[in-house]
Amino acid sequence: MRIGIFAKTFVRPTLKETLDAVTRHGIDCVQFNFTCVGMPSLPDRIDLAVADRIREQMEASQISMAAVSGTFNMAHPNPAVRRDGLKRLRELASNCRRLGTSVVTLCTGTRDPENMWRRHPDNSSPQAWRDMLATMDEAVKTAEETKVTLAFEPEVSNIVDSARKSRALLDEVRSPRLKVVMDAANLFHTGALPRMRPVLDEAFELLHNDIVLAHAKDLNRDGEAGHEAAGQGVLDYDHYLALLRRIGYDGPLILHGLTEIQVDACIAFLHGKLDRRQEAKSC
């Protein structure tokens, strides 16, 4: 495994300056976001010249694009908002090859009309699931046509808020174009923290064949709390990394939920964990 980062962690006037900041920390892999070129995360239109420029500058900096963010509220109570998100997703997916990536990250959304990262009491309703599923079905059609992989992230504030619901969604959609982003800090509902290892074990048991990307951040309590920098909370990173190794995951660990001044400490923390596990394996 290698360490990557959300490119938007570094706020700079130009993409080149952003990428220079990434490389100064010894990182060669990012999850990209169009905010890095002064556009919305999910643009309405992407000029071919802009996509080419992004790829060329990434290549010149020797940075790979592990994924690009395509998140929108897939369960928004207003159907027009969902349709607009799908339209923008198609535009993004159609440009992925030109950008130099094949993975688009998603969230499954919430009934909260203002904030797609905020839990809503109607998230567990059958209608919310049906709306999200219908949106996901359309998104997968786009993925199949454009030959990209969509990777959604289970998290406690969204419709798909557990490993079990993730498994249910994968089984209902039944497409090789739909996969999972594993972020261990997002799996703990209120009261679940004392069961940390069983919760992580279940997640990997249910989803191990479908994990295409792993995030690295932390939490300081259960519930909607996975917003800490890696190593600054209570997540059992030894167990998390052991589970990733056990399933043969060799992709990037993407840092996020951190400020720029925390980057070096988080990299050192992850390197320490990874190196220690490698040494133990060699003994």
Side-chain angles (χ1 to χ4, degrees), residues 24-263:
R24 276 197 295 273
H25 291 275
I27 299 174
D28 63 0
C29 174
V30 298
Q31 181 170 322
F32 190 73
N33 193 299
F34 267 85
T35 59
C36 294
V37 289
M39 298 171 68
S41 292
L42 201 53
D44 180 63
R45 184 172 180 275
I46 301 170
D47 288 333
L48 299 185
V50 172
D52 285 341
R53 177 168 60 86
I54 292 169
R55 187 194 68 252
E56 289 164 2
Q57 292 195 16
M58 296 275 292
E59 290 174 350
S61 299
Q62 297 184 308
I63 296 174
S64 63
M65 189 184 296
V68 59
S69 176
T71 53
F72 67 99
N73 193 343
M74 304 187 86
H76 196 284
N78 185 342
V81 174
R82 302 197 299 269
R83 287 194 298 270
D84 181 65
L86 284 167
K87 174 176 168 289
R88 291 168 182 265
L89 178 64
R90 175 173 288 277
E91 178 72 7
L92 179 62
S94 298
N95 281 277
C96 276
R97 180 174 295 184
R98 191 175 290 270
L99 288 168
T101 190
S102 62
V103 178
V104 179
T105 60
L106 301 175
C107 80
T108 56
T110 173
R111 279 318 220 201
D112 189 294
E114 306 297 332
N115 186 341
M116 66 179 167
W117 311 112
R118 187 162 58 205
R119 188 166 182 80
H120 191 277
D122 292 341
N123 280 4
S124 58
S125 68
Q127 187 60 53
W129 182 271
R130 284 193 293 269
D131 287 345
M132 180 277 298
L133 182 60
T135 309
M136 188 66 78
D137 282 337
E138 290 300 313
V140 167
K141 289 178 185 176
T142 291
E144 290 168 347
E145 292 168 10
T146 57
K147 295 181 171 53
V148 303
T149 297
L150 303 178
F152 70 91
E153 186 174 344
E155 46 191 299
V156 296
S157 61
N158 281 173
I159 304 297
V160 175
D161 61 358
S162 67
R164 291 185 183 185
K165 287 185 181 178
S166 299
R167 184 72 262 156
L169 177 59
L170 291 164
D171 291 345
E172 286 197 52
V173 174
R174 299 185 66 178
S175 170
R177 294 291 175 181
L178 185 63
K179 297 295 181 182
V180 173
V181 176
M182 177 56 68
D183 189 331
N186 286 342
L187 296 173
F188 298 94
H189 287 264
T190 301
L193 207 56
R195 300 181 56 253
M196 181 172 291
R197 288 200 171 194
V199 169
L200 293 176
D201 289 343
E202 179 186 56
F204 277 82
E205 180 180 352
L206 292 171
L207 303 174
H208 64 276
N209 288 329
D210 295 291
I211 296 170
V212 297
L213 194 65
H215 282 175
K217 63 181 193 318
D218 218 320
L219 74 167
N220 57 15
R221 65 185 192 283
D222 47 24
E224 294 182 55
H227 312 298
E228 304 297 322
Q232 299 299 306
V234 298
L235 183 65
D236 187 342
Y237 259 92
D238 290 320
H239 197 57
Y240 180 35
L241 296 177
L243 289 168
L244 285 169
R245 286 192 184 279
R246 192 176 301 166
I247 66 170
Y249 180 79
D250 61 357
L253 281 168
I254 303 290
L255 286 164
H256 77 113
L258 73 168
T259 64
E260 183 172 342
I261 62 172
Q262 293 175 305
V263 171

